[in-house]
Amino acid sequence: MSRRGVEDLIGETPLVALRRVSEGCRVPVLVKCEHLNPGGSGKDRIARAIVDDAEARGVLRPGDTLVEATAGNTGVGLALMAASRGYRLLCVMPAKMSEEKRSALRALGAEVVITENAPPGDPRNFQGVARRIAAERPRHFLTDQFRNPANPRAHEETTGPEIWRQCAGRVGAFVAGAGTGGTITGVGRFLKQMNPQVRIVLADPRGSRLAGLLGHAPLTDGGAYLLEGIGSSEVPMVLDPSVIDEAEVVDDRESFAMTRRLVSEEGLLVGGSSGTAVVAALRIAREGRVDGPVVAVLADGWDRYRSRIFDDAWMALVP
Ligand code: PMP
C-alpha cells in the first residue's frame, strides 16, 4: 500500500534483456526502463531529489513556486512533485516549442511563460528568463537541473545502485546519452566505485559537440540534428567528464530506426534517445569489447514523439 501516492512509483524500474534487435551480440544487452516512471521518464527521479534537497536546506516551503526552464520531461517530473507536495510550478519555454507541449504542461497545472527564441547569454533566452523570474519574484525557487548537484546525486543514489543490484554486480558497460549529464555522471560514479573496470559510454547524436569536446571523437563545429533531449554544443555543468571512458556517435536515422524497432520488435514503447543509446550499446556488445552485460538507458516513452518518429511522412523528411 503506497502512502506517499505517486512518489512511491518513482524509480525501482525494471531491467530487461533485449531479445530480437540484439541478434549477433556476444554479451547480453540489458535496458533500464526509465520510461516506466510515473511521469514517463527518468526525470521524475531528479525532480524528487531536487525538491527533497531544497526542503532539507529550508529554502522551499509549501505553497512556493518551482521554476524551471523546460519544455519536456523535467517539467512533467516537477509537476508530479508539485502536485504531491503542494507546490506551484512555472515552466519557461522558448516560442519554437509545439503547442502540444504548452498545453500538456498547462494540463499538469503549470503556469507556462513563453520567451522569444534567443541564444544562451541573451537576456531573452529561456534559461535567463527563468533565472530572472526566480530572483525577482518572492517564494519562487529555481530548480536548475543543469547546475543542481541533486540531479547527478539522484542517479548516484538510486539508478546506479538499482542497476548494480539487478545485474548482481556484473556490468560490462553502461551506455547513456547526456542532456544535463546527470544520468551518465551519477550512474557512472556509482558503478566505477563498485568496479573501476566498468566502461562508461556516452551515446552522442551526430551534430552534438559533446563527444568531441570530451576528447572521445573528432571535434567538429557541430550541426543541426532532430533527435531531442541529448547532445549539446557545450559541456553542461553537472556532467563530470572524468567518468566517461568513450563515446559512440549515432546519427538521426540510426537512432530513429532503432527506436521504431524497439517499439515494434521488442514492445518497448520508448522515445528517440533510447534508440541512440541502444545503437551504441549494440556496437559494443557485437564487437565483444567488454565481457559482461551492456546496460543502456531507455530515458523516456514514445508518447511525445508520435507525430514525429512514429509518423511516416515526418520520417521521410529526415535527412
Ligand atoms: N533522453 C531524453 C529524451 C531527455 O530529455 C534527456 C534529458 N534532457 C536525456 C535523455 C538525458 O538525461 P540527462 O539530462 O540526465 O543527461
Side-chain angles (χ1 to χ4, degrees), residues 43 73 177-183 228-230 273 299-300 305:
K43 293 295 188 181
N73 294 328
T180 64
T183 308
E228 298 175 43
I230 57 173
S273 71
D300 72 353
Y305 310 97

Side-chain angles (χ1 to χ4, degrees), residues 23-175:
E23 218 164 79
C25 288
R26 296 173 188 218
V27 290
V29 178
L30 311 176
V31 287
K32 182 68 171 158
C33 297
E34 290 298 285
H35 65 298
L36 298 181
N37 278 292
S41 87
K43 293 295 188 181
D44 296 352
R45 295 180 191 265
I46 74 160
R48 182 175 60 184
I50 287 171
V51 170
D52 277 344
D53 175 72
E55 287 178 352
R57 289 190 290 118
V59 293
L60 195 57
R61 285 171 299 140
D64 287 357
T65 303
L66 311 173
V67 181
E68 182 61 277
T70 170
N73 294 328
T74 303
V76 177
L78 288 169
L80 300 186
M81 287 307 298
S84 177
R85 303 251 180 122
Y87 297 112
R88 299 195 300 174
L89 173 63
L90 186 156
C91 292
V92 184
M93 59 195 278
K96 70 172 181 191
M97 299 297 180
S98 71
E99 184 51 46
E100 278 158 275
K101 289 185 177 172
R102 294 182 204 184
S103 58
L105 285 172
R106 288 194 182 112
L108 285 162
E111 181 186 344
V112 178
V113 172
I114 306 294
T115 63
E116 290 174 56
N117 299 325
D122 186 309
R124 293 164 302 172
N125 172 269
F126 74 126
Q127 294 200 30
V129 171
R131 192 157 288 121
R132 200 162 60 242
I133 288 175
E136 285 173 3
R137 298 192 194 172
R139 303 195 59 182
H140 280 58
F141 173 76
L142 188 68
T143 46
D144 216 4
Q145 60 168 336
F146 281 88
R147 301 184 191 200
N148 196 325
N151 166 3
R153 206 185 310 130
H155 294 290
E156 187 171 353
E157 290 177 355
T158 69
T159 326
E162 285 170 32
I163 292 170
W164 186 253
R165 215 180 326 113
Q166 288 167 319
C167 291
R170 207 161 162 265
V171 183
F174 172 75
V175 185

